[in-house]
Amino acid sequence: MRSIATVLLASATSALAQDFSHDGNYGAPYPDTVYPGFESSNPVVIAGSKSFQTSPPKYPSPWGSGSGDWAAAYQQARAFVSQLTLEEKVNLTTGTGWELDRCVGQTGSIPRLAFEALCLQDSPVGVRDTDFNSVFPAGVNVAATWDRGLAYARGQAMGEEHHGKGVDVQLGPVAGPLGRTPEGGRNWEGFSPDPILTGVMFAESIKGIQLGGGVMASAKHYIGYEQEHFRQNAEAELYGFNVTEPVVSNMDDETMHELYLWPFADGVRAGAASVMCSYNQINGSNACQNSYTLNYLLKGELGFQGDSATYDSGDSFFGANLTVAVLNGTVPAWRLDDMAIRIMAGFYLVERNTTRNPINFSSWTLDTYGYEHYYSGTGWTQINEHVDVRADHGSLIRSIGARSTVLLKNVNNALPLTGKEKLTAVFGNDAGPNIDGPNGCSDRGCDNGTLGMAWGSGSANFPYLVTPDTAIQNTVLAAGGAYESNLDNGALTTMGALARRANVSIVFANADSGETYIEVGGNLGDRNNLTFWQGAEAAIDIVAGNCTNTVLVVHSTGPVLLEKYANHANITAILWAGIPGQESGNSIADVLYGRVNPGAKLPFTIGRNRTDYGTDILYTPNGLVPQVNFQEGVFIDYRAFDRHNETPTYEFGFGLSYSSFSYSNLRVTKMNVSDYAPFTGHSSAAPTYGNFSMSPAAHTFPANFTRVPLYQYPWLNSTNLTKASSDPHYALPGFIPAGSQNGSAQPIPKAGGAPGGNPMLYDVLYRVQATVTNTGSVVGEEVSQLYVSRGGPYDPVKELRGFERLSIQPNGTATFTVDITRRDLSSWSTVEQDWFVRNSTKTVFVGSSSRSLPLQAVLV
Ligand SMILES: *[C@@H]1O[C@H](CO)[C@@H](O)[C@H](O)[C@H]1NC(C)=O
Ligand SMILES: *[C@@H]1O[C@H](CO)[C@@H](O)[C@H](O)[C@H]1NC(C)=O
Ligand SMILES: *[C@@H]1O[C@H](CO)[C@@H](O)[C@H](O)[C@H]1NC(C)=O
Ligand SMILES: *[C@@H]1O[C@H](CO)[C@@H](O)[C@H](O)[C@H]1NC(C)=O
Ligand SMILES: *[C@@H]1O[C@H](CO)[C@@H](O)[C@H](O)[C@H]1NC(C)=O
Ligand SMILES: *[C@@H]1O[C@H](CO)[C@@H](O)[C@H](O)[C@H]1NC(C)=O
Ligand SMILES: *[C@@H]1O[C@H](CO)[C@@H](O)[C@H](O)[C@H]1NC(C)=O
Ligand SMILES: *[C@@H]1O[C@H](CO)[C@@H](O)[C@H](O)[C@H]1NC(C)=O
Ligand SMILES: *[C@@H]1O[C@H](CO)[C@@H](O)[C@H](O)[C@H]1NC(C)=O
Ligand SMILES: *[C@@H]1O[C@H](CO)[C@@H](O)[C@H](O)[C@H]1NC(C)=O
Ligand SMILES: *[C@@H]1O[C@H](CO)[C@@H](O)[C@H](O)[C@H]1NC(C)=O
């Protein structure tokens, strides 16, 4: 059970934290699971293979200092918070309650200062639960572009749309799940199982949302949230599982630092105003009360200056309980002040103070009139103004869709097509519409028609969805060809007959996944398999069996096994198009007909076999408290394939172009930087802002105050604190974690000292350059990649450390440049609790994919 003190003292908008039954429980011992290929390994020395991991208590919760780019925002936040009463501070930290206001999360307001409530709204692909918004390509598509500029532009456009709807905090982007298992239901919301690619895209998205779009980003979900099954025990019970607590992700300290925490460091360094905790437990302690991950790692080591929000705090640990906890001495005044300051600092950081719009939509209905306080059925008024916030984002969405489409196979230049093929035939449910409309299933919770977006709270309502059938037909008719389509995977005989007549057959197939509150076809969020949905396999077989020029287009949330199709003589081309958003059909047509030359690369490995990944979802509980052991450590995706010497169908980083590229002239320049120095400073003592009466009588509801039914208010309904709290465990002894109330100056971790960690980690140690030549006949874009071998006995064979998407004219060249930082070459020392550069031979590799690396050099 989460307790009030634990939650409040560990998280940031929350106050003090502890629960001796969990946080501070040194991790439930779990049995060693040995994955294929690890049998002979010494489990003690391989990162991630260690058992008996712990989540030790870490208090006090660090108070924000305004370091890095946060100085001005902190100054303003301190000035603002200094004027606030106790209740006003509590209001800032507290959600009014589920469905009680228009946004999916909405805080209290401060009427005395005309400060409107903060509006927190899903999702990472657009404004959720409204209309006249755009649906952007999913995170996994952004990763497939490997294009920083597109990630920023998408972030900015999404931020602008949230801003236009009156949203203060966009609940995204996502770096957790990272993608430990390819079946993971929400992997597509994030970017890639590679922490570097994810870290870059996460940071660019945050900068786009905040600096470009002018709203706060909520970097989520922190941390270890790698499967949907059993993420919440109550939800698991509804599906008939006997589970009493959320699933536990057990991972060791090296795996935490070198894999899962890495992109969050980039997100914090990019200025993320807010971080959202996750549903799961980490090493035996809930993510939203875990003092180790929140206090020590996030606010200590990563120097996070913003707030960590649980967007629906309807569990009422806040509100009056927080006021009581301050008055009874459980939560120090400085802790509450820190919460309020962190929230307001994020607000000023993105300059919400200059440009706020009123909230002009309701998450709970698209009707124009309805209840302002939906769940309590009060406040009938106009709640939707139907503001069109899309601007010209459709063209950006189309461009990202095309530029995230990976060309995996192209025999004898089967692509691009011209449109003048005499008969073009398109096949598959995935090429057509959902006959119930693009939003026919709530939160996209079905797989009908083409897969433009996956399901769950990470989706948004389509303003329209251009199907492949429509867009391809438009192109073919304009070019003078004939066109027929068969969008029914059940009609195999007629499909075969059409394919026999066609000059080119384009068959669409998909695989969906999502968030586990919705079940689709027996998939509880996580996919049950890595094969196609909608009966597409039979359709592909029939079409390819009857047409020697068959093109396969895949819409999927992650890897789908393609070995059979890669080797099929009649399948002349394969494209992976991900989940591209509202312009889906136009994006794929742009690539098929060469209006866009594909340059995307796979952001994950497509293995030959599911078992080759070495990781899987825990589908059946292994106890009342399900335990998932991250026994593979950092060896996920290509790191696992390399380690076990598995040949994938298509490797991480792979993707073809209508042109071709060569690599030459590798140059390494050693930079002159000083040696690493562990951070040594201390914080100041915890500051407090403003005074208030400690008398309960000063904090009861104002006379004649009209309450919204069910609202969480900051005021007490009794001068008796026990009554006002109504906490059945009120004043239970031994409730306050040791050190949690200590507001004296605290040491800052060696690896800390600034947002993102010790600034010296980002010193550039080497600059690596190579020449990339376009050896083909058309202008093209090439994602050049740099990998590093850190050279330790248990390090991955190689790890991505740099990339750049270069546009190059035919016969032209471009220079690929990567600055290799100290962090890029470092390993995590669990003993020193700091990064160090191992005394080992470091090698850099440069090329076009993780398995095509023609250039290499040893770093000296
Ligand atoms: C808003 O905050 C920014 C950043 O801290 C500051 O530069 C600006 O002056 C503020 N504007 C107003 C109107 O308060
Ligand atoms: C707290 O927020 C609620 C809801 O917006 C508002 O009605 C109330 O007046 C606020 N309380 C204070 C002390 O500002
Ligand atoms: C759940 O498992 C526990 C322990 O094995 C058992 O005592 C209990 O009866 C089970 N509950 C249900 C509903 O199956
Ligand atoms: C839509 O999908 C659901 C399952 O996801 C399925 O039961 C239903 O038959 C589909 N409807 C149509 C019209 O294809
Ligand atoms: C071609 O299509 C027909 C149905 O029209 C089907 O019976 C046959 O098996 C297909 N051929 C191959 C080689 O798959
Ligand atoms: C894989 O899962 C999908 C979706 O539930 C299902 O349609 C398909 O039949 C499954 N494939 C296999 C081979 O079981
Ligand atoms: C390829 O298509 C032709 C029909 O055009 C068919 O005869 C042949 O069997 C197909 N090959 C495969 C491997 O299905
Ligand atoms: C996949 O694994 C199964 C079982 O281990 C094996 O029989 C099969 O040959 C493998 N397929 C490929 C394409 O490697
Ligand atoms: C509360 O309302 C009553 C009746 O409207 C009024 O007489 C009284 O003065 C009000 N009290 C306060 C403190 O505003
Ligand atoms: C305070 O928290 C306890 C424990 O969650 C809960 O039972 C109680 O209702 C809360 N009190 C208020 C006023 O929200
Ligand atoms: C203080 O208040 C909090 C919130 O209601 C409660 O959980 C806690 O038990 C109280 N502690 C003491 C010592 O009264």
Side-chain angles (χ1 to χ4, degrees):
M1 284 290 292
R2 292 196 292 164
S3 80
I4 295 181
T6 327
V7 171
L8 297 184
L9 286 167
S11 71
T13 38
S14 339
L16 275 181
Q18 176 248 2
D19 171 347
F20 288 130
S21 68
H22 284 278
D23 190 42
N25 163 350
Y26 284 64
Y30 58 86
D32 285 341
T33 312
V34 180
Y35 285 96
F38 284 94
E39 295 89 344
S40 59
S41 307
N42 175 354
V44 177
V45 283
I46 295 173
S49 66
K50 295 168 194 145
S51 311
F52 307 107
Q53 294 307 315
T54 66
S55 192
K58 290 284 183 179
Y59 297 97
S61 182
W63 36 95
S65 61
S67 72
D69 298 335
W70 289 75
Y74 260 70
Q75 208 169 10
Q76 285 177 289
R78 285 169 182 144
F80 183 82
V81 170
S82 297
Q83 337 159 51
L84 302 186
T85 66
L86 173 58
E87 285 84 350
E88 287 166 345
K89 290 173 186 172
V90 168
N91 245 11
L92 275 181
T93 71
T94 301
T96 50
W98 181 239
E99 297 187 340
L100 281 167
D101 277 308
R102 293 205 215 170
C103 303
V104 295
Q106 206 164 312
T107 66
S109 59
I110 305 177
R112 185 176 64 89
L113 301 175
F115 184 84
E116 300 288 342
L118 294 169
C119 167
L120 293 71
Q121 189 72 10
D122 293 321
S123 82
V125 299
V127 194
R128 182 184 176 210
D129 289 333
T130 184
D131 50 12
F132 303 103
N133 59 280
S134 302
V135 175
F136 290 83
V140 67
N141 283 66
V142 177
T145 68
W146 300 62
D147 188 314
R148 290 170 174 79
L150 289 179
Y152 184 97
R154 170 177 169 275
Q156 169 162 354
M158 292 194 304
E160 285 166 356
E161 295 200 10
H162 280 85
H163 171 69
K165 291 281 184 183
V167 174
D168 295 293
V169 182
Q170 177 181 354
L171 298 171
V174 172
L178 185 69
R180 174 179 178 263
T181 58
E183 301 85 1
R186 299 182 76 175
N187 291 356
W188 56 276
E189 293 188 41
F191 300 98
S192 161
D194 180 86
I196 285 71
L197 181 53
T198 288
V200 168
M201 294 306 172
F202 196 49
E204 290 301 322
S205 301
I206 289 165
K207 286 191 254 178
I209 291 167
Q210 296 193 161
L211 302 176
V215 299
M216 291 176 264
S218 180
K220 67 185 193 179
H221 308 86
Y222 185 76
I223 193 170
Y225 176 34
E226 297 293 330
Q227 69 166 46
E228 289 298 290
H229 280 75
F230 325 126
R231 63 177 192 163
Q232 296 183 92
N233 44 304
E235 189 179 58
E237 279 167 25
L238 291 177
Y239 286 120
F241 295 110
N242 193 357
V243 162
T244 56
E245 288 181 28
V247 63
V248 186
S249 297
N250 292 301
M251 75 171 97
D252 72 284
D253 202 23
E254 281 170 64
T255 301
M256 174 63 90
H257 282 87
E258 295 184 9
L259 195 64
Y260 296 100
L261 189 62
W262 184 292
F264 281 97
D266 292 320
V268 170
R269 189 156 182 260
S274 157
V275 169
M276 189 196 290
C277 53
S278 54
Y279 293 108
N280 56 291
Q281 307 191 49
I282 301 124
N283 297 337
S285 177
N286 283 291
C288 291
Q289 67 156 38
N290 189 312
S291 65
Y292 187 79
T293 57
L294 294 169
N295 289 347
Y296 183 68
L297 293 180
L298 181 64
K299 292 192 229 166
E301 203 175 294
L302 300 190
F304 176 56
Q305 302 292 314
D307 66 272
S308 57
T310 47
Y311 75 88
D312 170 30
S313 61
D315 55 9
S316 70
F317 289 160
F318 298 88
N321 264 321
L322 179 51
T323 306
V324 171
V326 172
L327 295 177
N328 75 15
T330 297
V331 174
W334 59 256
R335 183 71 195 86
L336 175 63
D337 286 348
D338 183 58
M339 293 189 254
I341 296 241
R342 283 173 177 272
I343 292 165
M344 290 311 300
F347 181 87
Y348 288 114
L349 184 76
V350 306
E351 303 197 359
R352 294 295 296 159
N353 55 330
T354 56
T355 57
R356 275 178 109 187
N357 287 321
I359 299 162
N360 53 39
F361 70 100
S362 166
S363 301
W364 320 116
T365 173
L366 296 178
D367 292 345
T368 302
Y369 287 85
Y371 293 110
E372 171 91 35
H373 312 295
Y374 179 81
Y375 194 67
S376 66
T378 57
W380 183 267
T381 184
Q382 181 174 355
I383 49 172
N384 278 305
E385 275 135 53
H386 310 288
V387 177
D388 192 332
V389 293
R390 294 173 298 153
D392 61 350
H393 298 157
S395 56
L396 174 67
I397 291 166
R398 177 174 180 163
S399 168
I400 297 174
R403 297 179 74 204
S404 59
T405 298
V406 186
L407 179 62
L408 295 171
K409 180 178 181 181
N410 193 16
V411 180
N412 295 333
N413 300 321
L415 297 183
L417 302 169
T418 61
K420 297 188 197 320
E421 293 77 15
K422 198 163 182 192
L423 173 60
T424 298
V426 162
F427 298 91
N429 294 46
D430 183 66
N434 176 350
I435 59 169
D436 296 331
N439 301 312
C441 303
S442 174
D443 290 341
R444 312 298 76 76
C446 64
D447 185 21
N448 295 346
T450 196
L451 185 67
M453 187 43 58
W455 83 80
S457 67
S459 65
N461 293 329
F462 282 113
Y464 59 81
L465 172 55
V466 180
T467 65
D469 183 40
T470 301
I472 295 171
Q473 171 168 297
N474 288 346
T475 300
V476 170
L477 299 194
Y483 181 86
E484 290 184 43
S485 60
N486 181 330
L487 308 178
D488 178 3
N489 284 349
L492 295 176
T493 307
T494 51
M495 277 192 170
L498 175 57
R500 281 198 294 281
R501 295 163 44 224
N503 302 87
V504 57
S505 292
I506 310 172
V507 56
F508 284 79
N510 76 35
D512 202 356
S513 73
E515 191 173 352
T516 184
Y517 68 92
I518 299 173
E519 178 213 311
V520 179
N523 297 270
L524 305 183
D526 304 313
R527 281 188 281 164
N528 290 332
N529 62 46
L530 293 180
T531 53
F532 287 117
W533 293 37
Q534 299 180 327
E537 218 160 310
I540 300 167
D541 289 346
I542 286 282
V543 171
N546 280 280
C547 178
T548 53
N549 188 19
T550 299
V551 176
L552 170 61
V553 179
V554 178
H555 285 122
S556 73
T557 57
V560 176
L561 302 182
L562 296 175
E563 183 72 11
K564 178 169 136 188
Y565 311 114
N567 298 325
H568 196 300
N570 288 352
I571 296 184
T572 48
I574 303 178
L575 292 151
W576 179 83
I579 26 180
Q582 70 193 36
E583 290 279 337
S584 178
N586 286 330
S587 299
I588 194 66
D590 285 347
V591 173
L592 289 168
Y593 293 94
R595 296 187 291 255
V596 170
N597 184 353
K601 306 265 183 161
L602 282 181
F604 46 68
T605 300
I606 294 184
R608 288 196 297 187
N609 246 336
R610 177 178 185 158
T611 49
D612 292 350
Y613 289 88
T615 49
D616 210 334
I617 301 290
L618 179 75
Y619 291 99
T620 308
N622 52 8
L624 291 177
V625 183
Q627 307 282 327
V628 177
N629 304 327
F630 290 25
Q631 199 75 27
E632 71 292 339
V634 301
F635 296 97
I636 65 170
D637 200 74
Y638 70 88
R639 290 163 172 79
F641 281 75
D642 283 354
R643 178 175 190 84
H644 304 149
N645 210 14
E646 299 279 4
T647 302
T649 303
Y650 297 115
E651 72 269 20
F652 176 85
F654 176 76
L656 300 169
S657 163
Y658 297 149
S659 198
S660 54
F661 302 93
S662 71
Y663 285 80
S664 60
N665 195 15
L666 187 69
R667 289 146 280 166
V668 178
T669 311
K670 185 171 186 171
M671 313 302 266
N672 189 14
V673 291
S674 35
D675 287 345
Y676 183 69
F679 199 83
T680 53
H682 276 68
S683 70
S684 65
T688 54
Y689 299 93
N691 288 310
F692 50 82
S693 163
M694 289 298 279
S695 158
H699 302 286
T700 54
F701 275 90
N704 291 355
F705 184 82
T706 310
R707 301 188 202 184
V708 174
L710 306 174
Y711 245 51
Q712 294 291 325
Y713 285 106
W715 293 291
L716 314 181
N717 57 18
S718 164
T719 53
N720 175 322
L721 292 184
T722 311
K723 268 195 194 150
S725 156
S726 77
D727 180 353
H729 305 295
Y730 193 83
L732 211 68
F735 209 54
I736 298 171
S740 61
Q741 297 168 316
N742 179 359
S744 67
Q746 298 293 317
I748 290 169
K750 294 178 203 170
N758 191 320
M760 294 188 86
L761 292 170
Y762 298 93
D763 289 343
V764 175
L765 304 194
Y766 296 90
R767 171 163 294 173
V768 179
Q769 292 182 302
T771 302
V772 189
T773 306
N774 183 342
T775 53
S777 56
V778 288
V779 60
E781 295 182 359
E782 165 71 345
V783 178
S784 299
Q785 299 160 45
L786 178 143
Y787 294 78
V788 166
S789 162
R790 283 184 282 147
Y794 306 108
D795 286 336
V797 173
K798 61 181 173 292
E799 295 164 287
L800 181 73
R801 285 297 190 255
F803 59 86
E804 205 178 338
R805 185 164 175 152
L806 303 162
S807 177
I808 315 177
Q809 295 296 322
N811 299 316
T813 62
T815 301
F816 171 49
T817 302
V818 175
D819 284 342
I820 298 181
T821 66
R822 193 186 315 271
R823 183 174 71 146
D824 290 333
L825 300 179
S826 292
S827 302
W828 180 253
S829 165
T830 59
V831 176
E832 289 297 324
Q833 283 295 297
D834 201 359
W835 295 95
F836 73 105
V837 178
R838 197 187 301 279
N839 184 13
S840 55
T841 304
K842 313 259 178 330
T843 312
V844 292
F845 304 88
V846 168
S848 60
S849 83
S850 65
R851 296 228 167 169
S852 175
L853 298 165
L855 308 180
Q856 60 172 285
V858 170
L859 296 177
V860 287

